[in-house]
Amino acid sequence: MKNNEKIIDTKDNSNIKIVPLEVDDILNYQVQIIECHARNDIREIIIKNDYLSIAELIKMISDGYDITACNFNQQLTPLFKQLLLIDYYYGNNPNFKQELKDKNIFPTFIIEHDQGSDFTEEHTAVLGYCFNEPIDSPQLATDIFNSLGSIFHSLVECYNAYDWGNITNLTISNNVYVPVKGDVSYGD
């Protein structure tokens, strides 16, 4: 008896990579985020779908603002715009940034904390990738994350310095990124 069912290829053929694009003044580079709001504040200060410079974004992060994809009452889509945050587990390795460089991984910024995201003695850092154009698809954001390799822990849908601990170090590069699939760029 012949089986006429079609075979479905589940192999990932996305072939997405991100290509660095160096900019002159990264701190003034504008990125569009979904939302940020103040935590532990009677006033709920919310900025939705707004452009912030990298310097403003870093300041809001260090001031304790949540950088989030939703307001916890209403899910907003798409989940990401021009900012992809990734939780990177590095344990107790003080040379983790050199290891990232050795693997040609240069995020736009790296935020280090005095404790891990799960409040253990081993540490995670948050790696921020800023893109030249908004990422209009949550699936594209997931594909980009998967293309970076298995060394990363997870996408960060809600970044909050209170949950990671005090910021101990901040590293900023002059790179923004362009998602590329095959020979096709997702940005200008």
Side-chain angles (χ1 to χ4, degrees):
M1 185 171 181
K2 186 176 179 183
N3 185 351
N4 289 328
E5 289 182 23
K6 292 184 179 178
I7 296 173
I8 298 171
D9 182 7
T10 58
K11 182 179 173 187
D12 179 15
N13 292 315
S14 62
N15 194 24
I16 290 178
K17 60 186 175 184
I18 55 174
V19 178
L21 174 67
E22 190 168 327
V23 295
D24 292 333
D25 188 359
I26 191 67
L27 292 178
N28 283 325
Y29 190 84
Q30 301 276 319
V31 292
Q32 189 178 26
I33 64 167
I34 295 294
E35 178 180 312
C36 59
H37 64 92
R39 179 175 175 174
N40 296 335
D41 192 328
I42 292 173
R43 297 168 295 118
E44 188 169 351
I45 303 167
I46 298 178
I47 301 171
K48 290 184 181 178
N49 297 313
D50 202 1
Y51 282 90
L52 297 172
S53 70
I54 300 291
E56 291 168 327
L57 180 64
I58 296 296
K59 174 134 182 30
M60 293 183 91
I61 286 172
S62 64
D63 286 346
Y65 278 76
D66 287 351
I67 307 297
T68 182
C70 64
N71 63 9
F72 303 108
N73 295 318
Q74 173 189 6
Q75 186 71 30
L76 301 175
T77 55
L79 289 177
F80 304 96
K81 286 291 186 183
Q82 282 180 268
L83 177 65
L84 190 65
L85 298 173
I86 297 173
D87 189 22
Y88 175 68
Y89 172 79
Y90 67 91
N92 289 319
N93 180 1
N95 298 319
F96 81 94
K97 286 190 281 188
Q98 183 59 48
E99 289 181 359
L100 289 174
K101 287 180 185 177
D102 293 345
K103 294 176 181 176
N104 290 321
I105 297 172
F106 303 97
T108 307
F109 57 84
I110 301 172
I111 303 171
E112 296 172 63
H113 300 273
D114 62 1
Q115 60 190 354
S117 61
D118 56 359
F119 299 101
T120 66
E121 292 183 16
E122 295 187 335
H123 300 280
T124 60
V126 175
L127 280 54
Y129 284 86
C130 297
F131 292 88
N132 68 323
E133 295 286 332
I135 300 171
D136 289 328
S137 161
Q139 184 58 50
L140 178 59
T142 300
D143 290 346
I144 290 168
F145 170 74
N146 291 336
S147 75
L148 291 169
S150 61
I151 63 170
F152 298 105
H153 185 259
S154 63
L155 284 171
V156 177
E157 292 187 12
C158 179
Y159 172 81
N160 186 313
Y162 291 104
D163 295 336
W164 268 267
N166 295 323
I167 296 171
T168 58
N169 195 23
L170 176 67
T171 306
I172 301 176
S173 75
N174 284 328
N175 294 330
V176 295
Y177 287 87
V178 180
V180 176
K181 182 174 182 179
D183 295 328
V184 179
S185 167
Y186 282 92
D188 293 335

Short mmCIF file of all heavy atoms in Angstrom, two decimals, residues 93-124:
data_model
loop_
_atom_site.label_atom_id
_atom_site.label_comp_id
_atom_site.label_asym_id
_atom_site.label_seq_id
_atom_site.Cartn_x
_atom_site.Cartn_y
_atom_site.Cartn_z
N ASN A 93 32.34 33.68 35.41
CA ASN A 93 33.45 33.91 34.50
C ASN A 93 33.68 35.40 34.29
O ASN A 93 32.89 36.05 33.61
CB ASN A 93 33.16 33.22 33.16
CG ASN A 93 34.28 33.42 32.17
OD1 ASN A 93 35.30 34.05 32.45
ND2 ASN A 93 34.08 32.88 30.97
N PRO A 94 34.75 35.96 34.83
CA PRO A 94 34.99 37.40 34.66
C PRO A 94 35.43 37.76 33.23
O PRO A 94 35.42 38.93 32.86
CB PRO A 94 36.12 37.70 35.66
CG PRO A 94 36.83 36.40 35.82
CD PRO A 94 35.79 35.32 35.64
N ASN A 95 35.81 36.77 32.42
CA ASN A 95 36.29 37.02 31.05
C ASN A 95 35.22 36.77 30.01
O ASN A 95 35.53 36.57 28.84
CB ASN A 95 37.51 36.14 30.76
CG ASN A 95 38.66 36.47 31.69
OD1 ASN A 95 38.93 37.63 31.98
ND2 ASN A 95 39.32 35.44 32.17
N PHE A 96 33.94 36.79 30.40
CA PHE A 96 32.89 36.42 29.45
C PHE A 96 32.81 37.38 28.26
O PHE A 96 32.51 36.97 27.15
CB PHE A 96 31.54 36.30 30.16
CG PHE A 96 30.83 37.60 30.39
CD1 PHE A 96 29.88 38.05 29.47
CD2 PHE A 96 31.09 38.38 31.50
CE1 PHE A 96 29.21 39.24 29.67
CE2 PHE A 96 30.42 39.56 31.70
CZ PHE A 96 29.48 40.01 30.79
N LYS A 97 33.14 38.67 28.47
CA LYS A 97 33.07 39.61 27.34
C LYS A 97 34.13 39.30 26.30
O LYS A 97 33.89 39.43 25.10
CB LYS A 97 33.18 41.05 27.83
CG LYS A 97 31.90 41.52 28.52
CD LYS A 97 31.90 42.99 28.80
CE LYS A 97 32.73 43.27 30.02
NZ LYS A 97 32.65 44.65 30.49
N GLN A 98 35.31 38.86 26.75
CA GLN A 98 36.35 38.47 25.80
C GLN A 98 35.92 37.23 25.03
O GLN A 98 36.17 37.11 23.83
CB GLN A 98 37.68 38.22 26.52
CG GLN A 98 38.82 37.89 25.58
CD GLN A 98 39.09 38.98 24.56
OE1 GLN A 98 39.17 40.15 24.89
NE2 GLN A 98 39.20 38.59 23.29
N GLU A 99 35.26 36.30 25.72
CA GLU A 99 34.76 35.10 25.04
C GLU A 99 33.71 35.46 23.99
O GLU A 99 33.66 34.85 22.93
CB GLU A 99 34.21 34.10 26.06
CG GLU A 99 35.30 33.46 26.89
CD GLU A 99 34.79 32.44 27.88
OE1 GLU A 99 33.56 32.22 27.96
OE2 GLU A 99 35.62 31.87 28.60
N LEU A 100 32.85 36.44 24.30
CA LEU A 100 31.88 36.90 23.30
C LEU A 100 32.60 37.48 22.09
O LEU A 100 32.25 37.20 20.95
CB LEU A 100 30.93 37.95 23.91
CG LEU A 100 29.90 37.45 24.92
CD1 LEU A 100 29.15 38.62 25.53
CD2 LEU A 100 28.94 36.46 24.28
N LYS A 101 33.64 38.31 22.35
CA LYS A 101 34.41 38.90 21.24
C LYS A 101 35.06 37.82 20.40
O LYS A 101 35.10 37.91 19.17
CB LYS A 101 35.49 39.84 21.79
CG LYS A 101 34.95 41.14 22.31
CD LYS A 101 36.08 42.01 22.84
CE LYS A 101 35.53 43.25 23.49
NZ LYS A 101 36.59 44.09 24.07
N ASP A 102 35.60 36.79 21.05
CA ASP A 102 36.25 35.69 20.33
C ASP A 102 35.26 34.97 19.41
O ASP A 102 35.66 34.37 18.41
CB ASP A 102 36.87 34.69 21.30
CG ASP A 102 38.05 35.28 22.06
OD1 ASP A 102 38.56 36.35 21.65
OD2 ASP A 102 38.44 34.69 23.09
N LYS A 103 33.97 35.02 19.74
CA LYS A 103 32.93 34.40 18.92
C LYS A 103 32.28 35.42 17.98
O LYS A 103 31.24 35.14 17.39
CB LYS A 103 31.87 33.76 19.81
CG LYS A 103 32.40 32.60 20.61
CD LYS A 103 31.35 32.04 21.55
CE LYS A 103 31.96 30.90 22.36
NZ LYS A 103 31.07 30.36 23.36
N ASN A 104 32.91 36.60 17.84
CA ASN A 104 32.40 37.68 16.99
C ASN A 104 31.00 38.13 17.39
O ASN A 104 30.16 38.40 16.54
CB ASN A 104 32.43 37.29 15.51
CG ASN A 104 33.84 37.20 14.98
OD1 ASN A 104 34.68 38.02 15.34
ND2 ASN A 104 34.10 36.21 14.17
N ILE A 105 30.76 38.21 18.69
CA ILE A 105 29.49 38.67 19.21
C ILE A 105 29.72 40.03 19.85
O ILE A 105 30.42 40.14 20.86
CB ILE A 105 28.91 37.66 20.22
CG1 ILE A 105 28.63 36.33 19.50
CG2 ILE A 105 27.65 38.21 20.87
CD1 ILE A 105 28.24 35.21 20.43
N PHE A 106 29.17 41.07 19.23
CA PHE A 106 29.34 42.44 19.70
C PHE A 106 27.98 43.12 19.81
O PHE A 106 27.56 43.84 18.91
CB PHE A 106 30.22 43.24 18.72
CG PHE A 106 31.56 42.64 18.48
CD1 PHE A 106 31.79 41.84 17.37
CD2 PHE A 106 32.61 42.88 19.35
CE1 PHE A 106 33.04 41.29 17.13
CE2 PHE A 106 33.86 42.33 19.12
CZ PHE A 106 34.08 41.53 18.01
N PRO A 107 27.24 42.87 20.89
CA PRO A 107 25.93 43.52 21.00
C PRO A 107 26.07 45.04 21.09
O PRO A 107 27.16 45.55 21.37
CB PRO A 107 25.35 42.94 22.28
CG PRO A 107 26.48 42.31 22.99
CD PRO A 107 27.57 42.05 22.03
N THR A 108 24.98 45.75 20.88
CA THR A 108 25.01 47.20 21.00
C THR A 108 25.39 47.60 22.41
O THR A 108 26.17 48.52 22.62
CB THR A 108 23.65 47.81 20.62
OG1 THR A 108 23.27 47.33 19.32
CG2 THR A 108 23.71 49.33 20.59
N PHE A 109 24.82 46.92 23.41
CA PHE A 109 25.25 47.17 24.78
C PHE A 109 25.11 45.89 25.61
O PHE A 109 24.34 44.99 25.29
CB PHE A 109 24.50 48.34 25.43
CG PHE A 109 23.00 48.20 25.46
CD1 PHE A 109 22.36 47.50 26.48
CD2 PHE A 109 22.22 48.81 24.49
CE1 PHE A 109 20.99 47.40 26.52
CE2 PHE A 109 20.84 48.71 24.53
CZ PHE A 109 20.22 48.01 25.54
N ILE A 110 25.91 45.85 26.69
CA ILE A 110 25.89 44.74 27.65
C ILE A 110 25.69 45.36 29.03
O ILE A 110 26.45 46.26 29.42
CB ILE A 110 27.20 43.93 27.64
CG1 ILE A 110 27.47 43.34 26.26
CG2 ILE A 110 27.17 42.84 28.71
CD1 ILE A 110 28.85 42.69 26.13
N ILE A 111 24.68 44.89 29.74
CA ILE A 111 24.42 45.37 31.10
C ILE A 111 24.77 44.24 32.06
O ILE A 111 24.19 43.16 32.01
CB ILE A 111 22.94 45.76 31.28
CG1 ILE A 111 22.52 46.81 30.27
CG2 ILE A 111 22.71 46.27 32.70
CD1 ILE A 111 21.04 47.08 30.26
N GLU A 112 25.73 44.51 32.94
CA GLU A 112 26.11 43.53 33.96
C GLU A 112 25.48 43.91 35.29
O GLU A 112 25.29 45.09 35.58
CB GLU A 112 27.63 43.49 34.11
CG GLU A 112 28.35 43.03 32.86
CD GLU A 112 29.84 43.19 32.99
OE1 GLU A 112 30.44 42.52 33.87
OE2 GLU A 112 30.41 43.97 32.21
N HIS A 113 25.19 42.89 36.11
CA HIS A 113 24.50 43.11 37.38
C HIS A 113 25.26 42.45 38.52
O HIS A 113 26.12 41.61 38.30
CB HIS A 113 23.09 42.52 37.31
CG HIS A 113 22.26 43.13 36.24
ND1 HIS A 113 21.52 44.26 36.43
CD2 HIS A 113 22.07 42.78 34.94
CE1 HIS A 113 20.91 44.58 35.32
NE2 HIS A 113 21.23 43.71 34.39
N ASP A 114 24.90 42.83 39.74
CA ASP A 114 25.58 42.25 40.89
C ASP A 114 25.00 40.91 41.32
O ASP A 114 25.47 40.31 42.26
CB ASP A 114 25.61 43.22 42.08
CG ASP A 114 24.23 43.58 42.60
OD1 ASP A 114 23.24 43.06 42.07
OD2 ASP A 114 24.15 44.38 43.54
N GLN A 115 23.97 40.45 40.64
CA GLN A 115 23.44 39.11 40.91
C GLN A 115 22.75 38.60 39.66
O GLN A 115 22.44 39.37 38.76
CB GLN A 115 22.47 39.12 42.09
CG GLN A 115 21.28 40.01 41.90
CD GLN A 115 20.48 40.15 43.19
OE1 GLN A 115 20.78 39.50 44.17
NE2 GLN A 115 19.49 41.00 43.17
N GLY A 116 22.53 37.31 39.63
CA GLY A 116 21.87 36.73 38.48
C GLY A 116 20.39 37.04 38.45
O GLY A 116 19.82 37.49 39.44
N SER A 117 19.76 36.79 37.31
CA SER A 117 18.34 37.08 37.19
C SER A 117 17.50 36.17 38.07
O SER A 117 16.36 36.48 38.35
CB SER A 117 17.90 36.95 35.73
OG SER A 117 18.12 35.64 35.26
N ASP A 118 18.06 35.07 38.52
CA ASP A 118 17.31 34.19 39.42
C ASP A 118 17.84 34.29 40.86
O ASP A 118 17.64 33.41 41.67
CB ASP A 118 17.36 32.75 38.93
CG ASP A 118 18.79 32.24 38.75
OD1 ASP A 118 19.73 33.01 39.00
OD2 ASP A 118 18.95 31.07 38.38
N PHE A 119 18.54 35.40 41.15
CA PHE A 119 19.05 35.70 42.48
C PHE A 119 20.01 34.64 43.01
O PHE A 119 20.04 34.34 44.19
CB PHE A 119 17.89 35.93 43.47
CG PHE A 119 17.01 37.08 43.07
CD1 PHE A 119 15.80 36.85 42.46
CD2 PHE A 119 17.44 38.38 43.27
CE1 PHE A 119 15.00 37.90 42.07
CE2 PHE A 119 16.64 39.44 42.88
CZ PHE A 119 15.43 39.21 42.28
N THR A 120 20.79 34.06 42.13
CA THR A 120 21.84 33.14 42.55
C THR A 120 23.17 33.90 42.56
O THR A 120 23.24 35.05 42.16
CB THR A 120 21.96 31.95 41.58
OG1 THR A 120 22.40 32.43 40.30
CG2 THR A 120 20.64 31.22 41.44
N GLU A 121 24.22 33.24 43.01
CA GLU A 121 25.52 33.89 43.02
C GLU A 121 26.15 33.89 41.63
O GLU A 121 27.09 34.63 41.38
CB GLU A 121 26.44 33.20 44.02
CG GLU A 121 25.99 33.42 45.46
CD GLU A 121 26.93 32.79 46.45
OE1 GLU A 121 28.07 32.45 46.08
OE2 GLU A 121 26.54 32.65 47.61
N GLU A 122 25.66 33.05 40.75
CA GLU A 122 26.19 33.06 39.39
C GLU A 122 25.40 34.07 38.57
O GLU A 122 24.24 34.35 38.85
CB GLU A 122 26.11 31.66 38.80
CG GLU A 122 27.01 30.71 39.54
CD GLU A 122 27.09 29.35 38.89
OE1 GLU A 122 26.15 28.99 38.18
OE2 GLU A 122 28.10 28.67 39.10
N HIS A 123 26.03 34.61 37.58
CA HIS A 123 25.51 35.83 36.97
C HIS A 123 25.00 35.65 35.54
O HIS A 123 25.44 34.77 34.81
CB HIS A 123 26.61 36.90 36.96
CG HIS A 123 27.09 37.23 38.33
ND1 HIS A 123 26.41 38.07 39.17
CD2 HIS A 123 28.17 36.81 39.02
CE1 HIS A 123 27.06 38.18 40.32
NE2 HIS A 123 28.13 37.41 40.25
N THR A 124 24.09 36.53 35.21
CA THR A 124 23.67 36.70 33.83
C THR A 124 23.85 38.18 33.49
O THR A 124 23.88 39.04 34.38
CB THR A 124 22.20 36.31 33.61
OG1 THR A 124 21.37 37.14 34.42
CG2 THR A 124 21.95 34.85 33.90
#
